Amino acid sequence: MAAPLLTRPDVIVIGAGCAGLSAAVRLAQHGRRVLVLEARSRLGGRATAFKDRATGEAVDNGQHVLLGCYTSTLTFLRAIGAESHVRMADELAVTMIDQQGRRTRLHCGHGPVPLNLLVGLLQWPALSWRDRWAAVAMGTVIRAERRGVATTLPDETVAEWLTRHGQTPRVREMLWDPLALAALNQPSEVATAGPFAQVLAEMFGTRDRRAAALVLPTVPLDEMYAAPARTFIEAHGGEVRTGVTVQVVLDERRVTVVAGADALSGVPVVAAVPWFALPALFSGDVAPLSALLTAAAATAPSPIATVNLWFDRPVMDEAFVGLPGRVMQWAFDKRAVFGGRASHLSLVSSGAAEVASWTNQALIEKALHELTAALPAVRGAQVVNATVIREPRATFSIAPGQPARPSTATAVAGLFLAGDWIATGLPATIESAVRSGHLAAEAVVARYPSSL
Ligand SMILES: Cc1cc2nc3c(=O)[nH]c(=O)nc-3n(C[C@H](O)[C@H](O)[C@H](O)COP(=O)(O)OP(=O)(O)OC[C@H]3O[C@@H](n4cnc5c(N)ncnc54)[C@H](O)[C@@H]3O)c2cc1C
């Protein structure tokens, strides 16, 4: 590496995704000089953006949707002055087009919670009265979760949990399954119910109407949080370096950060790398971490595939629609969200374990076919550009039998973990990553009350 590591920082953070950057920002707020080291040339990890070669537009590595209940993420964005880089709806409102092409809107109005949810569900024409009452009855279960009463069984899948609580096939098709697939990146039949129950408790279990509202980034992801976080860290005496692949050498429980020819020991380290990068991060006496490294290596990934389509004219009349039961489950009109800066549609396939191996051509054709069937305006439009983005390790699997998730403290003094896969109780999301970043920062500050 060009500049030496030895301008001794107070803390080193490895990885500049949401977890690493939020940890660094929180540490900077505590007055710590932080050095953030990122292997890739760009910031943001699994929530980032790049320039599309054909159009020159900034394109996200996949559409990211936040929720009003992402309290830590919203706190992080406020801290770095980036709150205006997202747009929060006033309440839950979403248009769904079922497999028969019927378009309906779930709108949970301005009334007090949970009355607005009740009214929204009871007025949703996608559901029969039986379906509506089934969905309403789920409110009791969700509120119990919110009070800390576990309503899920160990290793129970989302599908089993929903069925056990009387959810009908139609409510699952139109409401719970699309929500679960989006939040967990795994189908209801595969994912464990616990993290979904926590998401629902945070969305619907409070008095805050906006907790269930969708929050969309209004700028590409790197601009949304990564660049402002870097500015904040640097303005507080820290540094963010990219293109630096770090090794952590453990030697008689001493932690040495090695980057190229440079090495630094005796500084607290937050490893904010994903589970799949953890085993390669450490060398030397890794015995104290062996259980952690074995669990990380045994954790399965879950992919996401995105098809971006550029049409010769606008084809959507709202920012996004849900396409339940399809390969591409959501379509976003980036023009409606980014304004004049973007002109493409982003179609998302979550839980894409099988789909991710399709050819680009097959994915694009499928996306176009499903969109044309759902949106009449697509029929007269021409595709002028199309791209596919695969993220094979978008999230970690939360299927029953997956290894337990670790906490931020490790068996090695001075070494802390952050990342969406830390035991936050949430699925692999920006909110889980940011919460883990804040937890790691607070753990460092608690353990080392003053700068070393
Ligand atoms: C396509 C897609 C769509 C998604 N949609 C949503 C969504 O709608 N809503 C939502 O909340 N979440 C979504 N997610 C999940 C969300 O992006 C992740 O949970 C979150 O970004 C994880 O952040 P992280 O900081 O934990 O990890 P990462 O973003 O993976 O960051 C870790 C960083 O560590 C770096 N690193 C690894 N090894 C080293 C090393 N040895 N030295 C230095 N640096 C290293 C990596 O390069 C990386 O930048 C989506 C993810 C994808 C891929």
Side-chain angles (χ1 to χ4, degrees), residues 204-430:
F204 300 117
T206 73
R207 294 272 158 201
D208 179 5
R209 170 167 51 80
R210 294 184 103 186
L214 269 58
V215 180
L216 292 179
T218 54
V219 294
L221 287 166
D222 53 345
E223 272 179 57
M224 174 197 136
Y225 73 96
R230 172 183 227 155
T231 304
F232 184 94
I233 293 159
E234 292 179 349
H236 288 74
E239 196 184 342
V240 179
R241 291 195 209 166
T242 53
V244 184
T245 301
V246 176
Q247 271 274 303
V248 176
V249 183
L250 303 174
D251 168 20
E252 291 170 5
R253 311 226 164 178
R254 197 178 50 165
V255 179
T256 304
V257 173
V258 179
D262 226 335
L264 188 59
S265 299
V267 173
V269 172
V270 176
V273 307
W275 76 98
F276 55 81
L278 202 71
L281 182 64
F282 297 104
S283 61
D285 177 15
V286 297
L289 299 183
S290 66
L292 170 70
L293 298 180
T294 304
T299 299
S302 185
I304 295 180
T306 302
V307 174
N308 290 318
L309 297 173
W310 281 258
F311 286 98
D312 62 351
R313 69 197 74 171
V315 295
M316 282 178 66
D317 51 12
E318 50 191 319
F320 63 95
V321 292
L323 304 172
R326 322 301 208 284
V327 166
M328 297 288 154
Q329 303 106 16
W330 296 91
F332 294 85
D333 184 350
K334 300 298 275 193
R335 191 196 315 252
V337 195
F338 283 6
R341 293 185 54 178
S343 59
H344 60 283
L345 263 54
S346 236
L347 284 90
V348 181
S349 184
S350 295
E354 191 223 318
V355 169
S357 64
W358 293 9
T359 62
N360 283 3
Q361 187 62 23
L363 271 165
I364 291 166
E365 274 170 17
K366 187 69 174 175
L368 203 49
H369 174 77
E370 291 185 338
L371 199 66
T372 310
L375 300 177
V378 177
R379 282 168 213 158
Q382 295 294 319
V383 178
V384 293
N385 186 35
T387 61
V388 173
I389 305 166
R390 288 180 190 75
E391 287 279 6
R393 297 186 290 195
T395 64
F396 52 86
S397 169
I398 52 165
Q402 284 294 301
R405 292 158 65 181
S407 54
T408 205
T410 70
V412 174
L415 175 66
F416 302 83
L417 299 177
D420 58 355
W421 61 291
I422 300 309
T424 59
L426 291 171
T429 51
I430 289 179

